[in-house]
Amino acid sequence: MLPEFCTTPRLVLAAPQGRSGKTTVTLALVAALRARGLAVQPFKKGPDFIDPGWLGRAAGRSCRNLDAFFFPRETLLRVFARGARGADVAVVEGAMGLFDGVDLEGSGSTAEIAKTIRSPVVLVVNATRMTRSAAAMVLGFKAFDPELELGGVILNHVARPRHERMLREAIKRFCHLPVLGVFPKCALAAIPDRHLGLVPVGEEEREAEIMGALQELGEKYLDVEGLLALARRAEPLTVAFSSTPPPAGKRARLGVFRDRAFTFYYPENLEELEAAGAELRLVNALEDELPPVDGLYIGGGFPEIFAAGLEANEGLRRRVREAAEAGMPIYAECGGLMYLSRSLIFRGHRYAMAGVFPFDVAFGDRPSGHGYMRLRALGGNPFFPAGERLLGHEFHHSRPLDLSPSTLFGFAVERGYGINGAFDGAIYRSTLAAYCHLHALAAPGWAPALVAKAREFRERGSVS
């Protein structure tokens, strides 16, 4: 293991609870810092694809996820240090409330992330209908964990100058903390919502307008110099990296669906596939034919929104079905599972999909599965040995219909819902399609196994 010192200035933006405005505040800060010519590395706490898409676009660098449920401490530090290389400052957006984790100890919380990377925290407070009480709230968060450095406050939804003055004076007098930003009520640019959160960045037609507005708001309402000074107080980190030789032999060609319908990919998943010996070939499922490949990776996204376009590309759907029949290794997550189904039923319409699996997928008004997952691999799983335990997450409103009793599954669900509450990962030949999203660094055998299967398929004669 080779030690590396990470001295990148850093901040964690957290909140007392969700819906406090921390995503838009974080975006405004990232945009304002970038406008000053700084290289900004964004991070998002926890499993998420949509917020990181916006943060990455604001920074001009791929956003990385920091997740203490998925990663042991040393892995989390490596994810942070690797992402922060070459950056002038790192900005981490928290999730939920600052101390909210998976148990009463706060395991996996934003606070745990901040302490692991030794970062000061700025608390984003929704000040609606509060004055002096805001100081009591902030003081409670400051005292709750003495090991955490709460370095300042950003106020959101401030009604008028008198409201701001009372809030500032109360926090200064009772909390002894600086107010590092004040956003007037309704000032933050609204990014449209969808059933899983914000609309992904690539779909929003007003993206450039929103980004410009966020930059202006950040410059106008944030104490950017004060926030930078706080970030520079972060202590250096010592991180151990292993040196892995590049794989020998010819690289396997791996198709990756990447377009407006399929956007949910962790950067590390693609990087680990390349490190394992894959040559990635991006496929637009709305327009492209299937290129010569030895395997497929179909991530998540919103195929239901683009179902008509996916249906219209009949040639790709047919070729994917033929590839699965021929034994090509295919790994699919959530949206990918929907694509591999027989049909997708959404808002009263039925759309033909690839038909690898003999079931349809329908949508409900409430999530079928939402949160972290624990899985145990079953026999016959194409990519994981029987008995291996895996951590992942799910967030889906859809569910398969008319599952056959003979359906083969790759995972037993120990926490979560998956396909039917007991199992996840439908199997057909060398195809595995699950609702669970895996992070490659939390499942280190996944990328090498998928690439190895692709190499084996290539030796037998790939689809071209």
Side-chain angles (χ1 to χ4, degrees):
M1 301 295 281
L2 303 174
E4 180 176 308
F5 297 100
C6 177
T7 59
T8 307
R10 66 203 81 112
L11 282 178
V12 172
L13 270 64
Q17 64 190 65
R19 298 290 179 177
S20 296
K22 63 181 175 298
T23 298
T24 41
V25 169
T26 306
L27 284 166
L29 174 59
V30 169
L33 290 169
R34 186 184 181 190
R36 293 186 173 214
L38 297 174
V40 187
Q41 175 57 49
F43 294 90
K44 172 66 179 179
K45 180 267 176 188
D48 191 355
F49 298 103
I50 298 175
D51 288 1
W54 283 96
L55 288 164
R57 192 62 57 86
R61 293 170 66 108
S62 293
C63 182
R64 308 279 170 154
N65 295 70
L66 300 175
D67 196 309
F69 181 83
F70 286 164
F71 307 141
R73 181 178 183 278
E74 290 304 317
T75 301
L76 193 146
L77 284 170
R78 284 194 289 272
V79 172
F80 177 81
R82 183 165 73 172
R85 286 173 180 163
D88 298 310
V89 60
V91 178
V92 183
E93 182 198 343
M96 299 178 63
L98 174 58
F99 297 108
D100 298 330
V102 297
D103 53 31
L104 282 177
E105 303 305 315
S107 301
S109 66
T110 300
E112 183 179 354
I113 298 289
K115 289 191 291 185
T116 300
I117 66 171
R118 298 181 183 177
S119 174
V121 174
V122 177
L123 196 67
V124 178
V125 175
N126 182 344
T128 302
R129 298 185 179 184
M130 281 198 302
T131 54
R132 192 168 177 262
S133 295
M137 176 189 291
V138 172
L139 189 60
F141 275 80
K142 183 180 179 184
F144 191 79
D145 185 348
E147 296 180 3
L148 186 75
E149 182 186 359
L150 184 58
V153 177
I154 293 172
L155 300 169
N156 191 19
H157 292 301
V158 176
R160 56 185 64 88
R162 181 174 178 272
H163 188 199
E164 177 183 342
R165 185 170 61 253
M166 292 184 70
L167 288 163
R168 283 184 178 274
E169 290 175 356
I171 290 169
K172 180 180 179 181
R173 176 175 174 183
F174 296 108
C175 307
H176 306 291
L177 288 173
V179 173
L180 296 169
V182 178
F183 286 87
K185 191 175 182 180
C186 301
L188 293 176
I191 303 172
D193 280 355
R194 188 179 286 157
H195 49 272
L196 298 190
L198 303 178
V199 171
V201 65
E203 294 183 35
E204 176 49 56
E205 295 179 357
R206 297 186 302 113
E207 176 189 319
E209 175 190 338
I210 289 171
M211 288 297 179
L214 287 166
Q215 177 187 323
E216 291 177 11
L217 289 166
E219 293 171 343
K220 184 174 182 179
Y221 295 119
L222 290 173
D223 178 1
V224 179
E225 286 303 321
L227 289 161
L228 275 172
L230 180 61
R232 291 173 180 135
R233 282 171 27 191
E235 299 178 23
L237 300 170
T238 303
V239 185
F241 284 91
S242 59
S243 179
T244 305
K250 199 167 186 178
R251 302 184 77 80
R253 301 167 300 184
L254 198 65
V256 180
F257 280 23
R258 198 134 194 215
D259 47 53
R260 291 185 298 160
F262 300 99
T263 59
F264 293 177
Y265 295 95
Y266 291 121
E268 291 87 352
N269 284 26
L270 303 179
E271 292 165 358
E272 291 300 306
L273 288 169
E274 290 180 319
E279 174 194 327
L280 302 184
R281 299 193 173 184
L282 302 185
V283 179
N284 184 330
L286 299 165
E287 301 175 1
D288 293 347
E289 298 178 353
L290 186 67
V293 292
D294 312 309
L296 281 175
Y297 174 22
I298 310 176
F302 290 103
E304 67 273 22
I305 303 299
F306 302 96
L310 295 172
E311 180 182 54
N313 193 351
E314 190 276 335
L316 178 63
R317 292 189 291 110
R318 174 173 45 82
R319 292 288 281 160
V320 168
R321 184 169 60 252
E322 292 170 350
E325 190 67 39
M328 175 187 284
I330 302 175
Y331 176 78
E333 294 181 332
C334 198
L337 178 151
M338 299 180 212
Y339 182 82
L340 297 178
S341 71
R342 183 170 51 206
S343 71
L344 197 159
I345 304 166
F346 184 62
R347 295 177 180 170
H349 296 276
R350 182 186 295 269
Y351 303 92
M353 292 290 113
V356 173
F357 294 101
F359 55 71
D360 307 304
V361 172
F363 286 76
D365 295 330
R366 296 183 177 181
S368 302
H370 181 199
Y372 286 117
M373 301 187 75
R374 288 192 179 95
L375 305 176
R376 176 172 50 84
L378 300 174
N381 191 307
F383 307 112
F384 299 97
E388 181 172 351
R389 282 181 159 78
L390 299 157
L391 301 175
H393 67 97
E394 62 181 335
F395 193 178
H396 53 100
H397 283 64
S398 68
R399 67 189 190 285
L401 303 177
D402 303 321
L403 281 172
S404 167
S406 62
T407 301
L408 298 177
F409 293 105
F411 302 111
V413 175
E414 297 180 347
R415 171 182 172 147
Y417 189 82
I419 287 177
N420 63 2
F423 299 101
D424 199 10
I427 296 174
Y428 180 72
R429 296 186 181 270
S430 294
T431 296
L432 176 68
Y435 274 115
C436 180
H437 293 277
L438 294 177
H439 194 293
L441 299 184
W446 167 75
L450 178 52
V451 175
K453 285 278 187 181
R455 281 203 179 101
E456 291 173 11
F457 183 75
R458 182 177 191 139
E459 291 171 2
R460 297 199 306 268
S462 62
V463 173
S464 59

